[in-house]
Amino acid sequence: MKTIFAKTLVAGLFAATLSTSVLAADWDMPTPYPDATFHTVNINQFADDIKKATDGGLNITVHSAGSLIKHGEIKNAVRGGQVQIGEFFLSLLANEDAAYGVDSQPFVATSYDDAKKLWDAQKPVITELLARQKLVPLYAVPWPPQGLYTNKEIATVDDLKGLKFRSYNAALEKFASLAGAAPTQVEVPDIPQAFSTGQVEAMITSPSTGANGKAWDYVSHYTPINAWVPKNIVVVNKAAFEALDEATRTAVLEAAAAAETRGWEMSMKETDAQTAVLKENGMSVVEPSAELLQGLMKIGEQMQTEWQESASEQAKSIVADFAK
């Protein structure tokens, strides 16, 4: 009887330990951007919401500014299980499938309303593509519309010729090349040094990135050309997600839905607020001339034509749905 009791006790303790290991989890979450960036602020709130909703059953440690894993490696780190969850710039995956980069095509969606409509068309395709890599998308949040940062007023596309131009994905690299500039890949944390050393002389990015990086220390002009409204996406490793109990999975999905809604609202507020910060710190905020916009849109049209020739059928379906 003692032997049977001992075995039963051991089995019970093992079951309790196993149950605890499933119910309690600690996740690492690498992100590319500094703590002050609204995306990271939103993610920290997302992590806090999950911790509260699960009574500490799921704790997510946010590693910001590429401190744990470099931006370009975050997706594969989540896919391979090195970390459980991560954030990255969606169009970084455009080389895998053009569907990932639709939101970074110039002058396709230039307002928040259009960006939301595009995401509605894009999300089902992105979800299917990521599922093939054992990844689950949780939510996506846009950056403010992208503007032009330079050390002089840019009146026409010709004024960009020869400038060393910061790029962050294939679409922007192509865009810079067609404008006659020389593209150079530079991540957000390295922007100030890249300008100070002469590695780059101009860039297209959001007013948020400009204000958080104190762009007035290295450029003098900001032109809100509203070229596109790109997104960051948060994804989770499918196996890690499915290892959670049902209540915790529900808490994660509910926190993600709240983070997406909150993030879009934060982004919209950022546009005016951070543009004002640029101006308050001495930058010249210059409305784009009709000639400049016309020239940039011509480049955009060329890129869209070339994009259609090589894009996957799934990518083309996104544009078709968006155009309805």
Side-chain angles (χ1 to χ4, degrees):
M1 290 293 292
K2 289 183 178 179
T3 302
I4 294 174
F5 178 77
K7 288 181 177 179
T8 302
L9 180 61
V10 170
L13 290 172
F14 177 77
T17 301
L18 180 61
S19 175
T20 302
S21 68
V22 173
L23 291 173
D26 293 301
W27 285 3
D28 287 306
M29 183 175 186
T31 75
Y33 306 100
D35 290 327
T37 304
F38 78 94
H39 283 284
T40 312
V41 172
N42 190 34
I43 283 171
N44 281 319
Q45 182 63 57
F46 164 71
D48 287 343
D49 288 347
I50 291 173
K51 184 176 182 178
K52 291 176 183 176
T54 62
D55 292 324
L58 177 56
N59 297 294
I60 299 176
T61 301
V62 178
H63 303 270
S64 59
S67 58
L68 181 64
I69 297 173
K70 293 181 180 179
H71 192 176
E73 301 170 2
I74 290 176
K75 188 267 287 184
N76 285 336
V78 178
R79 181 186 182 187
Q82 184 179 348
V83 293
Q84 297 83 4
I85 186 172
E87 176 207 30
F88 54 86
F89 193 65
L90 181 59
S91 61
L92 281 181
L93 307 187
N95 287 335
E96 297 181 17
D97 193 294
Y100 291 113
V102 178
D103 61 3
S104 288
Q105 286 296 307
F107 302 104
V108 172
T110 59
S111 68
Y112 281 103
D113 286 343
D114 281 349
K116 182 61 171 63
K117 183 180 177 183
L118 181 59
W119 177 230
D120 289 341
Q122 193 180 18
K123 186 175 181 179
V125 175
I126 297 302
T127 299
E128 181 181 340
L129 289 172
L130 290 174
R132 298 174 188 174
Q133 301 189 48
K134 308 300 182 184
L135 296 170
V136 178
L138 292 180
Y139 70 88
V141 170
W143 290 93
Q146 305 290 282
L148 177 64
Y149 293 77
T150 56
N151 270 312
K152 62 180 181 179
E153 183 173 349
I154 303 298
T156 70
V157 170
D158 286 342
D159 293 334
L160 295 172
K161 288 183 177 179
L163 293 181
K164 299 174 185 176
F165 210 97
R166 179 241 173 180
S167 66
Y168 51 69
N169 61 18
L172 184 49
E173 185 173 339
K174 178 73 171 179
F175 189 80
S177 296
L178 290 174
T184 301
Q185 184 80 22
V186 176
E187 291 296 338
V188 169
D190 302 323
I191 288 175
Q193 182 178 359
F195 272 95
S196 65
T197 60
Q199 184 182 358
V200 293
E201 301 169 297
M203 65 179 176
I204 290 178
T205 194
S206 70
S208 299
T209 299
N212 290 332
K214 298 182 179 180
W216 48 85
D217 287 341
Y218 45 86
V219 289
S220 58
H221 287 67
Y222 173 70
T223 307
I225 57 175
N226 295 350
W228 51 86
V229 186
K231 296 182 292 292
N232 286 358
I233 192 167
V234 170
V235 303
V236 63
N237 178 282
K238 183 179 179 181
F241 184 66
E242 292 182 345
L244 301 172
D245 63 89
E246 184 177 354
T248 304
R249 290 197 300 271
T250 298
V252 171
L253 294 176
E254 289 177 349
E260 181 159 295
T261 298
R262 182 175 59 242
W264 282 72
E265 293 172 351
M266 293 172 74
S267 181
M268 287 185 274
K269 292 177 181 178
E270 281 276 306
T271 302
D272 293 335
Q274 300 293 41
T275 299
V277 169
L278 296 177
K279 185 180 292 187
E280 290 166 4
N281 283 276
M283 289 190 67
S284 297
V285 177
V286 183
E287 288 301 313
S289 67
E291 189 175 359
L292 174 60
L293 286 177
Q294 185 178 15
L296 293 175
M297 291 180 72
K298 186 176 180 180
I299 293 174
E301 290 170 1
Q302 180 180 343
M303 288 182 64
Q304 290 165 36
T305 299
E306 294 177 0
W307 183 88
Q308 285 281 350
E309 292 173 353
S310 60
S312 66
E313 291 304 314
Q314 286 182 302
K316 291 178 183 178
S317 72
I318 294 172
V319 175
D321 286 346
F322 172 68
K324 289 179 181 178

